[in-house]
Amino acid sequence: MKDRISALVFIALGIFFLIGALRMPRTTEYGKYGAPGIVPAFFSIMVVLLCFIMLVRKQRSNSESSSTPAEVKRAENRRLLLASAMFLAYVFLLGKINFIVLTSVFLSVTSMVFLRKRFILTVTISVAVTVGIYYLFSRVFLLPLP
């Protein structure tokens, strides 16, 4: 039952992101294959398809699912909800806050919440990855980021 609920939630989330990706510009100087919505649309479609498979597959046996303690299941559900809320907040803030600032904070917070590594190292890596992504898209691929 919980697999079905998770699948439905992520199907809805995938459709939400797909609609957002389809609303992005469809043509650039490089033609339709340089459009910024292609990759998000592809990943959204993949999420929807994989969750659909999860929705229709046979459920595991009860003995396998009952072997996991209830407290572990609750902790995993909380982590899933927290991750979903963090990703939604990131998507909603993407056009409103500078890309480098928002993505650096997002990567740092996500890493600290789920990996619990050293703060300085996490922030340094997050900023470096964000600047690298920004440089790659804006200077190499000539695709503007929000």
Side-chain angles (χ1 to χ4, degrees):
M1 182 65 178
K2 289 185 180 181
D3 280 349
R4 291 180 186 211
I5 293 171
S6 297
L8 290 173
V9 167
F10 280 100
I11 285 173
L13 195 60
I15 290 171
F16 171 76
F17 287 128
L18 180 62
I19 291 169
L22 293 176
R23 294 176 62 199
M24 290 182 168
R26 295 176 193 239
T27 57
T28 63
E29 302 85 51
Y30 301 106
K32 64 183 178 182
Y33 296 110
I38 289 177
V39 173
F42 172 77
F43 286 129
S44 299
I45 290 169
M46 293 306 296
V47 166
V48 170
L49 289 176
L50 291 173
C51 288
F52 182 73
I53 291 169
M54 190 168 92
L55 187 66
V56 297
R57 75 175 180 195
K58 287 187 176 182
Q59 295 294 324
R60 294 183 216 142
S61 66
N62 287 338
S63 64
E64 185 178 329
S65 64
S66 65
S67 65
T68 307
E71 186 174 317
V72 171
K73 289 181 182 179
R74 281 193 297 274
E76 288 177 356
N77 287 338
R78 278 185 295 228
R79 288 171 59 101
L80 174 67
L81 289 174
L82 178 62
S84 299
M86 290 170 66
F87 279 102
L88 281 173
Y90 176 77
V91 169
F92 283 123
L93 295 173
L94 197 53
K96 297 167 182 64
I97 298 176
N98 181 285
F99 176 80
I100 294 175
V101 173
L102 179 65
T103 304
S104 296
V105 169
F106 173 74
L107 290 176
S108 297
V109 169
T110 303
S111 296
M112 292 304 296
V113 168
F114 293 108
L115 298 177
R116 294 184 176 94
K117 298 291 182 182
R118 293 182 298 219
F119 179 76
I120 299 297
L121 179 65
T122 300
V123 170
T124 304
I125 291 173
S126 297
V127 170
V129 166
T130 302
V131 170
I133 290 170
Y134 184 80
Y135 178 80
L136 185 68
F137 276 86
S138 65
R139 303 288 186 229
V140 177
F141 298 138
L142 300 175
L143 292 173
L145 291 173

